[in-house]
Amino acid sequence: MTNEDVVVKAIETVTSKAVTDSEFRALCLSNPREAVKQATGLELPMNFKLQVVENAGAHYTLVLPDAISGEELNESELEQVAGGAVVATYDPNDPLAKPGMGEGYKPCF
């Protein structure tokens, strides 16, 4: 199982439990790290920040890369900052949700 598979499975587990369990939902909002641990057994790294918000419209967090000097990056530095992301929204009632991301998930773009 890839890291992406683990993340997708953890998201599905946490969100499905939060939909039906009001105490767990409150824990997700107040202490998401503990909620993930309780639901999946996974301990998130301390440098991993997780924010959980209520579904109250659009919410997007943009993570900026580390600041660099005005010099061009060498190949090694380019490798370190190159990456990608999966951005998805959750709406279990949305008929356009993309299969394979878990029920109710669809890409934002």
Side-chain angles (χ1 to χ4, degrees):
M1 187 179 289
T2 67
N3 283 345
E4 186 176 342
D5 293 336
V6 172
V7 170
V8 168
K9 179 72 174 157
I11 290 170
E12 289 174 352
T13 301
V14 170
T15 54
S16 64
K17 186 171 181 178
V19 168
T20 59
D21 182 336
S22 61
E23 287 182 26
F24 182 74
R25 184 182 193 92
L27 180 63
C28 287
L29 294 166
S30 66
N31 188 347
R33 183 176 300 280
E34 181 60 28
V36 169
K37 184 176 178 182
Q38 281 187 20
T40 66
L42 298 173
E43 287 213 32
L44 299 175
M46 290 309 294
N47 64 343
F48 185 87
K49 181 180 177 187
L50 175 62
Q51 180 181 15
V52 176
V53 297
E54 286 285 359
N55 186 11
H59 179 90
Y60 182 80
T61 300
L62 175 63
V63 178
L64 298 174
D66 294 336
I68 58 171
S69 65
E71 302 171 16
E72 280 193 35
L73 300 177
N74 64 36
E75 288 298 316
S76 174
E77 292 167 328
L78 282 172
E79 295 262 339
Q80 292 176 3
V81 297
V86 174
V87 179
T89 59
Y90 178 72
D91 183 351
N93 300 313
D94 190 337
L96 300 176
K98 181 179 176 187
M101 287 293 293
E103 186 176 328
Y105 286 90
K106 68 178 181 182
C108 289
F109 323 114

